[in-house]
Tab-separated table of all heavy atoms in Angstrom:
chain	number	residue	atom	x	y	z
A	140	ARG	N	12.885	-13.751	15.295
A	140	ARG	CA	12.084	-14.545	16.230
A	140	ARG	C	10.860	-13.754	16.664
A	140	ARG	O	10.973	-12.620	17.100
A	140	ARG	CB	12.907	-14.923	17.463
A	140	ARG	CG	14.013	-15.908	17.184
A	140	ARG	CD	14.858	-16.131	18.391
A	140	ARG	NE	15.559	-14.869	18.686
A	140	ARG	CZ	16.098	-14.586	19.845
A	140	ARG	NH1	16.032	-15.441	20.845
A	140	ARG	NH2	16.726	-13.446	20.029
A	141	ASP	N	9.704	-14.354	16.548
A	141	ASP	CA	8.438	-13.748	16.947
A	141	ASP	C	8.139	-12.439	16.227
A	141	ASP	O	7.373	-11.610	16.740
A	141	ASP	CB	8.383	-13.520	18.465
A	141	ASP	CG	8.488	-14.816	19.242
A	141	ASP	OD1	7.856	-15.806	18.815
A	141	ASP	OD2	9.202	-14.846	20.265
A	142	ALA	N	8.725	-12.222	15.066
A	142	ALA	CA	8.473	-10.997	14.309
A	142	ALA	C	7.033	-10.983	13.788
A	142	ALA	O	6.578	-11.963	13.196
A	142	ALA	CB	9.446	-10.891	13.142
A	143	PRO	N	6.306	-9.899	14.001
A	143	PRO	CA	4.931	-9.804	13.500
A	143	PRO	C	4.842	-9.967	11.981
A	143	PRO	O	3.827	-10.438	11.466
A	143	PRO	CB	4.483	-8.406	13.915
A	143	PRO	CG	5.412	-7.969	14.974
A	143	PRO	CD	6.692	-8.719	14.764
A	144	SER	N	5.893	-9.608	11.279
A	144	SER	CA	5.874	-9.734	9.817
A	144	SER	C	5.670	-11.179	9.377
A	144	SER	O	5.097	-11.429	8.313
A	144	SER	CB	7.177	-9.202	9.221
A	144	SER	OG	8.293	-9.950	9.670
A	145	LEU	N	6.108	-12.143	10.199
A	145	LEU	CA	5.964	-13.559	9.852
A	145	LEU	C	4.522	-14.031	9.908
A	145	LEU	O	4.186	-15.089	9.369
A	145	LEU	CB	6.843	-14.414	10.772
A	145	LEU	CG	8.342	-14.165	10.668
A	145	LEU	CD1	9.094	-14.995	11.699
A	145	LEU	CD2	8.848	-14.445	9.260
A	146	VAL	N	3.664	-13.263	10.543
A	146	VAL	CA	2.232	-13.563	10.589
A	146	VAL	C	1.477	-12.678	9.606
A	146	VAL	O	0.647	-13.149	8.825
A	146	VAL	CB	1.673	-13.362	12.019
A	146	VAL	CG1	0.165	-13.554	12.043
A	146	VAL	CG2	2.369	-14.299	12.995
A	147	ILE	N	1.786	-11.391	9.622
A	147	ILE	CA	1.054	-10.416	8.811
A	147	ILE	C	1.222	-10.661	7.317
A	147	ILE	O	0.242	-10.702	6.563
A	147	ILE	CB	1.497	-8.986	9.175
A	147	ILE	CG1	1.094	-8.670	10.617
A	147	ILE	CG2	0.909	-7.969	8.205
A	147	ILE	CD1	1.729	-7.411	11.176
A	148	ILE	N	2.458	-10.834	6.881
A	148	ILE	CA	2.713	-10.964	5.444
A	148	ILE	C	2.074	-12.217	4.850
A	148	ILE	O	1.385	-12.125	3.824
A	148	ILE	CB	4.218	-10.861	5.143
A	148	ILE	CG1	4.678	-9.418	5.404
A	148	ILE	CG2	4.533	-11.296	3.713
A	148	ILE	CD1	6.171	-9.206	5.314
A	149	PRO	N	2.220	-13.410	5.437
A	149	PRO	CA	1.544	-14.578	4.860
A	149	PRO	C	0.016	-14.436	4.819
A	149	PRO	O	-0.631	-14.912	3.886
A	149	PRO	CB	1.968	-15.736	5.767
A	149	PRO	CG	3.291	-15.308	6.304
A	149	PRO	CD	3.152	-13.815	6.497
A	150	GLU	N	-0.550	-13.770	5.812
A	150	GLU	CA	-2.014	-13.551	5.798
A	150	GLU	C	-2.412	-12.645	4.633
A	150	GLU	O	-3.418	-12.886	3.962
A	150	GLU	CB	-2.485	-12.950	7.122
A	150	GLU	CG	-2.479	-13.929	8.269
A	150	GLU	CD	-3.499	-15.051	8.105
A	150	GLU	OE1	-4.600	-14.816	7.555
A	150	GLU	OE2	-3.198	-16.183	8.515
A	151	LEU	N	-1.640	-11.595	4.412
A	151	LEU	CA	-1.928	-10.714	3.275
A	151	LEU	C	-1.767	-11.457	1.951
A	151	LEU	O	-2.603	-11.321	1.047
A	151	LEU	CB	-1.016	-9.488	3.311
A	151	LEU	CG	-1.298	-8.477	4.411
A	151	LEU	CD1	-0.178	-7.449	4.490
A	151	LEU	CD2	-2.638	-7.800	4.195
A	152	GLN	N	-0.715	-12.266	1.844
A	152	GLN	CA	-0.499	-13.048	0.630
A	152	GLN	C	-1.643	-14.036	0.403
A	152	GLN	O	-2.082	-14.218	-0.727
A	152	GLN	CB	0.833	-13.791	0.697
A	152	GLN	CG	2.034	-12.871	0.596
A	152	GLN	CD	3.338	-13.599	0.843
A	152	GLN	OE1	3.443	-14.407	1.777
A	152	GLN	NE2	4.348	-13.313	0.027
A	153	ALA	N	-2.135	-14.654	1.468
A	153	ALA	CA	-3.248	-15.596	1.350
A	153	ALA	C	-4.513	-14.901	0.862
A	153	ALA	O	-5.371	-15.537	0.247
A	153	ALA	CB	-3.505	-16.288	2.695
A	154	SER	N	-4.595	-13.601	1.113
A	154	SER	CA	-5.748	-12.810	0.653
A	154	SER	C	-5.524	-12.253	-0.750
A	154	SER	O	-6.356	-11.494	-1.242
A	154	SER	CB	-6.015	-11.661	1.624
A	154	SER	OG	-6.362	-12.164	2.887
A	155	GLY	N	-4.392	-12.582	-1.358
A	155	GLY	CA	-4.127	-12.165	-2.725
A	155	GLY	C	-3.207	-10.965	-2.879
A	155	GLY	O	-2.963	-10.512	-3.992
A	156	ALA	N	-2.679	-10.447	-1.790
A	156	ALA	CA	-1.797	-9.283	-1.872
A	156	ALA	C	-0.412	-9.664	-2.387
A	156	ALA	O	0.102	-10.735	-2.061
A	156	ALA	CB	-1.661	-8.630	-0.501
A	157	GLN	N	0.159	-8.784	-3.176
A	157	GLN	CA	1.561	-8.884	-3.557
A	157	GLN	C	2.304	-7.982	-2.589
A	157	GLN	O	1.953	-6.809	-2.437
A	157	GLN	CB	1.772	-8.436	-4.990
A	157	GLN	CG	1.121	-9.350	-5.999
A	157	GLN	CD	1.329	-8.842	-7.409
A	157	GLN	OE1	1.244	-7.657	-7.665
A	157	GLN	NE2	1.630	-9.759	-8.309
A	158	VAL	N	3.325	-8.496	-1.952
A	158	VAL	CA	3.995	-7.769	-0.884
A	158	VAL	C	5.429	-7.421	-1.268
A	158	VAL	O	6.197	-8.291	-1.667
A	158	VAL	CB	3.990	-8.596	0.426
A	158	VAL	CG1	4.735	-7.868	1.530
A	158	VAL	CG2	2.559	-8.903	0.858
A	159	ALA	N	5.750	-6.139	-1.100
A	159	ALA	CA	7.130	-5.660	-1.191
A	159	ALA	C	7.534	-5.270	0.216
A	159	ALA	O	6.709	-4.770	0.990
A	159	ALA	CB	7.225	-4.472	-2.132
A	160	ALA	N	8.793	-5.500	0.563
A	160	ALA	CA	9.229	-5.224	1.925
A	160	ALA	C	10.640	-4.677	1.949
A	160	ALA	O	11.447	-4.946	1.054
A	160	ALA	CB	9.163	-6.504	2.761
A	161	TYR	N	10.902	-3.924	3.004
A	161	TYR	CA	12.245	-3.398	3.249
A	161	TYR	C	12.509	-3.398	4.746
A	161	TYR	O	11.635	-3.050	5.543
A	161	TYR	CB	12.398	-1.968	2.713
A	161	TYR	CG	13.669	-1.325	3.185
A	161	TYR	CD1	14.906	-1.753	2.706
A	161	TYR	CD2	13.648	-0.313	4.136
A	161	TYR	CE1	16.086	-1.189	3.177
A	161	TYR	CE2	14.827	0.262	4.598
A	161	TYR	CZ	16.034	-0.177	4.112
A	161	TYR	OH	17.197	0.372	4.569
A	162	ASP	N	13.717	-3.796	5.110
A	162	ASP	CA	14.186	-3.719	6.486
A	162	ASP	C	15.671	-3.381	6.424
A	162	ASP	O	16.403	-3.996	5.642
A	162	ASP	CB	13.983	-5.060	7.200
A	162	ASP	CG	14.274	-4.975	8.687
A	162	ASP	OD1	15.461	-5.009	9.062
A	162	ASP	OD2	13.312	-4.860	9.468
A	163	PRO	N	16.127	-2.417	7.214
A	163	PRO	CA	17.533	-2.016	7.143
A	163	PRO	C	18.545	-3.125	7.443
A	163	PRO	O	19.645	-3.103	6.916
A	163	PRO	CB	17.646	-0.897	8.180
A	163	PRO	CG	16.262	-0.361	8.305
A	163	PRO	CD	15.366	-1.547	8.107
A	164	GLU	N	18.188	-4.083	8.280
A	164	GLU	CA	19.150	-5.136	8.637
A	164	GLU	C	18.620	-6.558	8.489
A	164	GLU	O	19.409	-7.496	8.467
A	164	GLU	CB	19.621	-4.943	10.085
A	164	GLU	CG	20.476	-3.711	10.273
A	164	GLU	CD	21.059	-3.618	11.668
A	164	GLU	OE1	21.266	-4.653	12.326
A	164	GLU	OE2	21.299	-2.475	12.097
A	165	GLY	N	17.318	-6.745	8.395
A	165	GLY	CA	16.759	-8.081	8.483
A	165	GLY	C	16.421	-8.806	7.206
A	165	GLY	O	15.910	-9.923	7.253
A	166	VAL	N	16.714	-8.215	6.052
A	166	VAL	CA	16.290	-8.832	4.793
A	166	VAL	C	16.872	-10.226	4.601
A	166	VAL	O	16.154	-11.159	4.236
A	166	VAL	CB	16.619	-7.924	3.591
A	166	VAL	CG1	16.405	-8.655	2.272
A	166	VAL	CG2	15.759	-6.669	3.636
A	167	GLU	N	18.145	-10.393	4.841
A	167	GLU	CA	18.762	-11.706	4.602
A	167	GLU	C	18.191	-12.787	5.517
A	167	GLU	O	18.021	-13.934	5.087
A	167	GLU	CB	20.279	-11.623	4.714
A	167	GLU	CG	20.915	-10.804	3.607
A	167	GLU	CD	20.444	-11.183	2.207
A	167	GLU	OE1	20.416	-12.386	1.858
A	167	GLU	OE2	20.072	-10.265	1.456
A	168	MET	N	17.878	-12.447	6.747
A	168	MET	CA	17.254	-13.418	7.657
A	168	MET	C	15.800	-13.679	7.261
A	168	MET	O	15.300	-14.791	7.395
A	168	MET	CB	17.319	-12.910	9.099
A	168	MET	CG	18.730	-12.806	9.652
A	168	MET	SD	19.581	-14.391	9.751
A	168	MET	CE	18.713	-15.152	11.088
A	169	ALA	N	15.121	-12.633	6.781
A	169	ALA	CA	13.697	-12.749	6.449
A	169	ALA	C	13.457	-13.466	5.121
A	169	ALA	O	12.444	-14.148	4.959
A	169	ALA	CB	13.065	-11.359	6.409
A	170	ARG	N	14.351	-13.304	4.182
A	170	ARG	CA	14.146	-13.824	2.820
A	170	ARG	C	13.704	-15.291	2.797
A	170	ARG	O	12.692	-15.616	2.166
A	170	ARG	CB	15.414	-13.610	1.997
A	170	ARG	CG	15.231	-13.864	0.523
A	170	ARG	CD	16.520	-13.627	-0.262
A	170	ARG	NE	17.122	-12.326	-0.057
A	170	ARG	CZ	16.796	-11.216	-0.715
A	170	ARG	NH1	15.847	-11.249	-1.623
A	170	ARG	NH2	17.429	-10.080	-0.468
A	171	PRO	N	14.384	-16.220	3.479
A	171	PRO	CA	13.929	-17.617	3.405
A	171	PRO	C	12.627	-17.875	4.175
A	171	PRO	O	11.956	-18.870	3.932
A	171	PRO	CB	15.083	-18.414	4.022
A	171	PRO	CG	15.854	-17.438	4.832
A	171	PRO	CD	15.655	-16.097	4.197
A	172	MET	N	12.258	-16.974	5.066
A	172	MET	CA	11.052	-17.149	5.871
A	172	MET	C	9.805	-16.563	5.206
A	172	MET	O	8.691	-16.862	5.640
A	172	MET	CB	11.233	-16.473	7.233
A	172	MET	CG	12.352	-17.033	8.044
A	172	MET	SD	12.536	-16.037	9.540
A	172	MET	CE	13.647	-17.049	10.462
A	173	LEU	N	10.015	-15.732	4.184
A	173	LEU	CA	8.896	-15.031	3.557
A	173	LEU	C	8.934	-15.214	2.039
A	173	LEU	O	9.234	-14.276	1.284
A	173	LEU	CB	8.935	-13.541	3.927
A	173	LEU	CG	8.724	-13.226	5.403
A	173	LEU	CD1	9.085	-11.778	5.705
A	173	LEU	CD2	7.289	-13.528	5.809
A	174	PRO	N	8.611	-16.420	1.568
A	174	PRO	CA	8.628	-16.652	0.118
A	174	PRO	C	7.583	-15.788	-0.590
A	174	PRO	O	6.533	-15.475	-0.034
A	174	PRO	CB	8.299	-18.144	0.001
A	174	PRO	CG	7.633	-18.507	1.280
A	174	PRO	CD	8.178	-17.583	2.329
A	175	GLY	N	7.920	-15.379	-1.784
A	175	GLY	CA	6.988	-14.603	-2.596
A	175	GLY	C	7.022	-13.107	-2.328
A	175	GLY	O	6.323	-12.341	-2.994
A	176	VAL	N	7.840	-12.677	-1.387
A	176	VAL	CA	7.954	-11.258	-1.079
A	176	VAL	C	9.032	-10.644	-1.973
A	176	VAL	O	10.088	-11.232	-2.174
A	176	VAL	CB	8.309	-11.040	0.412
A	176	VAL	CG1	8.639	-9.577	0.694
A	176	VAL	CG2	7.163	-11.504	1.293
A	177	GLU	N	8.743	-9.471	-2.499
A	177	GLU	CA	9.737	-8.713	-3.259
A	177	GLU	C	10.482	-7.827	-2.267
A	177	GLU	O	9.874	-7.000	-1.599
A	177	GLU	CB	9.049	-7.851	-4.311
A	177	GLU	CG	9.995	-6.998	-5.103
A	177	GLU	CD	9.275	-6.079	-6.070
A	177	GLU	OE1	8.168	-6.410	-6.518
A	177	GLU	OE2	9.825	-5.001	-6.344
A	178	PHE	N	11.777	-8.011	-2.153
A	178	PHE	CA	12.570	-7.249	-1.194
A	178	PHE	C	13.220	-6.062	-1.888
A	178	PHE	O	13.835	-6.214	-2.934
A	178	PHE	CB	13.627	-8.147	-0.544
A	178	PHE	CG	13.011	-9.209	0.317
A	178	PHE	CD1	12.781	-10.476	-0.181
A	178	PHE	CD2	12.634	-8.931	1.621
A	178	PHE	CE1	12.198	-11.460	0.598
A	178	PHE	CE2	12.047	-9.905	2.414
A	178	PHE	CZ	11.821	-11.168	1.897
A	179	ALA	N	13.063	-4.883	-1.293
A	179	ALA	CA	13.586	-3.641	-1.859
A	179	ALA	C	14.885	-3.246	-1.174
A	179	ALA	O	15.175	-3.673	-0.058
A	179	ALA	CB	12.546	-2.535	-1.700
A	180	ASP	N	15.640	-2.381	-1.857
A	180	ASP	CA	16.925	-1.918	-1.339
A	180	ASP	C	16.804	-0.747	-0.370
A	180	ASP	O	17.745	-0.441	0.345
A	180	ASP	CB	17.846	-1.515	-2.488
A	180	ASP	CG	18.271	-2.707	-3.324
A	180	ASP	OD1	18.362	-3.824	-2.770
A	180	ASP	OD2	18.497	-2.529	-4.534
A	181	ASP	N	15.661	-0.054	-0.387
A	181	ASP	CA	15.438	1.050	0.547
A	181	ASP	C	13.935	1.279	0.695
A	181	ASP	O	13.134	0.696	-0.041
A	181	ASP	CB	16.167	2.330	0.120
A	181	ASP	CG	15.691	2.890	-1.199
A	181	ASP	OD1	14.483	3.217	-1.329
A	181	ASP	OD2	16.519	3.019	-2.121
């Protein structure tokens, strides 16, 4: 909820960036909210 990543990442993607991301606990919650992001294991 209100995570800055939900604003920052789509803006970067709209500018043409390919985004990889990692979060120790939030990947499963973030995955459906951030399409097109490559999620890493660490």
Side-chain angles (χ1 to χ4, degrees):
R140 291 174 294 161
D141 299 319
S144 62
L145 297 176
V146 175
I147 295 168
I148 291 173
E150 287 293 325
L151 289 170
Q152 290 173 316
S154 297
Q157 293 179 319
V158 178
Y161 169 70
D162 188 280
E164 292 186 27
V166 170
E167 292 311 312
M168 294 297 288
R170 191 179 306 275
M172 299 175 169
L173 295 167
V176 171
E177 178 184 332
F178 293 96
D180 292 330
D181 63 59

